[in-house]
Amino acid sequence: MAETNAATDIGLLTTFGKGPSGVGYLPFAEATEINPPESARDSVTFTHHGSPDAHHEYKPGLTDGGEVSITYNLVPGLYDDAVIATHLASRIVEPWCIVFPNGAALNFRGFATAHGRATPLDDRMTGSVTFKVTGKPVLTPAA
């Protein structure tokens, strides 16, 4: 059995922020969970009356860039919470980025579709946001 690749890592030091990686990138202060997008491709039915053995036939359709969800430590109205509130008020598509511990960057354009806040009685307060990805996310490998 092969050993684990030395480049395999845990999620610690992954960041999420506004703007493309590099110049202008503004990472969230306290993201605690980052779920990158899961792309999915539509299937288009091409079944016809003469389809072999009465089985459906399909061809690949368009790809959907998916969604990104983030959880962060909540300071109501400040820091990460303020970034999301300002973004929601703008109603525009903006650049966002996930930077992995090895330096690889996943850049995408998107807009927030949900913003939540949780204030449990005996635990930390958290904020959450979900982004809809528009277009194709671009992963730039680490240098």
Side-chain angles (χ1 to χ4, degrees), residues 3-27:
E3 289 186 31
T4 301
N5 185 308
T8 302
D9 207 345
I10 62 174
L12 183 67
L13 302 180
T14 300
T15 62
F16 171 82
K18 191 172 184 180
S21 60
V23 179
Y25 175 66
L26 179 63

Side-chain angles (χ1 to χ4, degrees), residues 23-39:
V23 179
Y25 175 66
L26 179 63
F28 270 37
E30 295 189 27
T32 59
E33 185 174 340
I34 303 168
N35 297 297
E38 181 177 317
S39 296

Side-chain angles (χ1 to χ4, degrees), residues 1 10 15 26 43 76 81 84-85 88 95 121 124-126 130 141:
M1 189 168 180
I10 62 174
T15 62
L26 179 63
S43 59
D81 199 51
I84 297 306
L88 276 169
L121 178 66
R124 67 188 167 102
M125 296 189 300
T126 59
T130 302

